[in-house]
Amino acid sequence: MATAKNISTSSEDSAASEDSNTAEFTVAPRRTVHVNGKDYGPGESVTLDIEEGEYLRDRGFFTEEDGTVTVSTSGPAVNQEDGVRKDEV
């Protein structure tokens, strides 16, 4: 489960920042996102800061615009021939 940070702004800035700095994201299958004390499950929409939402989308917590899930990972790769190896960047 991913936990999103709390986004706090003043009440005057809130309306303006919601339009320009936030976006709606859809939780990916088999994922849960915890935002401001509430859990959002697969298929539910969450409004988050764009940068934070994109960060979580890149890690497979949110679907792409077309409904697919893309996960970019770095770290060890495993296959039968080589066993565990570190990916080279």
Side-chain angles (χ1 to χ4, degrees):
M1 173 174 32
T3 301
K5 65 183 177 183
N6 289 333
I7 302 168
S8 58
T9 58
S10 69
S11 59
E12 291 177 9
D13 295 335
S14 183
S17 67
E18 282 185 30
D19 293 336
S20 61
N21 294 330
T22 61
E24 195 168 283
F25 297 90
T26 302
V27 180
R30 297 181 306 278
R31 297 291 189 162
T32 301
V33 179
H34 185 80
V35 180
N36 296 329
K38 184 177 178 199
D39 289 336
Y40 295 86
E44 292 185 290
S45 295
V46 181
T47 301
L48 285 177
D49 176 74
I50 293 172
E51 186 175 315
E52 185 173 10
E54 292 298 330
Y55 175 86
L56 291 170
R57 176 181 280 157
D58 289 344
R59 281 140 188 86
F61 284 92
F62 295 128
T63 61
E64 296 291 331
E65 301 293 325
D66 63 0
T68 61
V69 178
T70 303
V71 179
S72 60
T73 61
S74 61
V78 179
N79 63 44
Q80 287 184 325
E81 294 81 28
D82 299 331
V84 177
R85 65 178 175 76
K86 184 174 179 168
D87 287 339
E88 294 182 21
V89 178

